[in-house]
Amino acid sequence: MKIILVGYMGSGKSTIGKELSKNVGIPFYDLDEIIQKSEKETIKIIFETKGEVYFRKIESFIFKNFISKTDGFILALGGGTPCYANNHEIFYQEDICSFYLKGSIETLTSRLIKEKENRPLIANLTENELEEYIRKHIFDRSYYYLQTKQVISIDNKSIEITVEEIEQKIKLA
């Protein structure tokens, strides 16, 4: 089974993916970590030294290569991955179960304000600026996120409840 988790930063893709992996016995991977290993640099350094265009090209290449050569996985994508190089079209493949972990602006803001020092793109934003930043990105990215086969709301839910919902949808797929 090939499971892809999509969503904005702070939606819990990695946390949910790791927990789901334990429950269903399928290995979990994080696309950003795969890219960092391949490039031998952090995402932040790649952006700073080679630019976003380079990053998006390598991201798409590694993503598509991973999908075609790997069986049985749970893969968390970067928040922007579906929005570039027609990456979202992979969600349509028959052997892919794709999930959008959808959080409200309020949920994402409250989560990200607590961890913004670990996220260079938002580290210097005030709470109001952060909310506006998220609002704009969600507006820009929603079309791509909604190309997934399933949408799971993360608002006011524990990790365990969210994982259970995904497991139920996998059983029906």
Side-chain angles (χ1 to χ4, degrees):
M1 179 166 293
K2 297 180 177 186
I3 300 168
I4 298 176
L5 302 178
V6 174
Y8 196 68
M9 68 174 140
S11 63
K13 298 178 299 285
S14 293
T15 304
I16 300 289
K18 289 172 187 170
E19 194 64 29
L20 183 62
S21 173
K22 284 186 217 166
N23 289 6
V24 298
I26 299 172
F28 170 77
Y29 301 91
D30 181 299
L31 184 61
D32 284 349
E33 289 176 8
I34 296 169
I35 293 167
Q36 290 175 143
K37 281 181 189 163
S38 172
E39 292 292 294
K40 297 175 181 60
E41 289 290 355
T42 65
I43 302 294
K44 181 182 181 201
I45 298 293
I46 297 168
F47 263 80
E48 288 173 358
T49 59
K50 297 181 180 173
E52 184 173 7
V53 172
Y54 175 85
F55 174 78
R56 295 301 177 189
K57 280 183 183 175
I58 198 72
E59 174 187 53
S60 182
F61 174 79
I62 290 171
F63 174 47
K64 290 172 180 170
N65 192 47
F66 181 89
I67 295 295
S68 69
K69 293 188 173 171
T70 312
D71 285 322
F73 61 78
I74 299 165
L75 178 66
L77 301 187
T81 307
C83 311
Y84 297 92
N86 295 320
N87 290 331
H88 67 285
E89 292 177 357
I90 286 176
F91 305 156
Y92 309 147
Q93 292 179 9
E94 230 176 273
D95 63 340
I96 300 285
C97 288
S98 53
F99 294 90
Y100 169 25
L101 302 180
K102 183 179 184 191
S104 67
I105 306 297
E106 297 73 25
T107 295
L108 296 170
T109 302
S110 70
R111 288 180 177 190
L112 290 171
I113 201 77
K114 295 174 195 159
E115 55 181 77
K116 69 179 194 160
E117 64 278 354
N118 301 323
R119 297 181 181 266
L121 292 174
I122 62 171
N124 299 319
L125 301 179
T126 67
E127 188 167 348
N128 286 342
E129 290 169 335
L130 177 61
E131 185 174 324
E132 192 54 35
Y133 181 88
I134 294 167
R135 189 176 306 283
K136 180 194 178 309
H137 270 132
I138 295 294
F139 178 80
D140 292 342
R141 294 176 175 185
S142 284
Y143 169 81
Y144 301 99
Y145 291 169
L146 291 169
Q147 300 308 303
T148 58
K149 292 179 180 161
Q150 301 285 337
V151 177
I152 304 283
S153 173
I154 60 164
D155 295 332
N156 304 310
K157 289 183 189 163
S158 67
I159 294 163
E160 295 76 22
I161 296 293
T162 305
V163 168
E164 279 178 30
E165 281 187 38
I166 294 171
E167 287 178 36
Q168 289 301 315
K169 301 224 182 254
I170 291 168
K171 287 176 188 169
L172 299 174

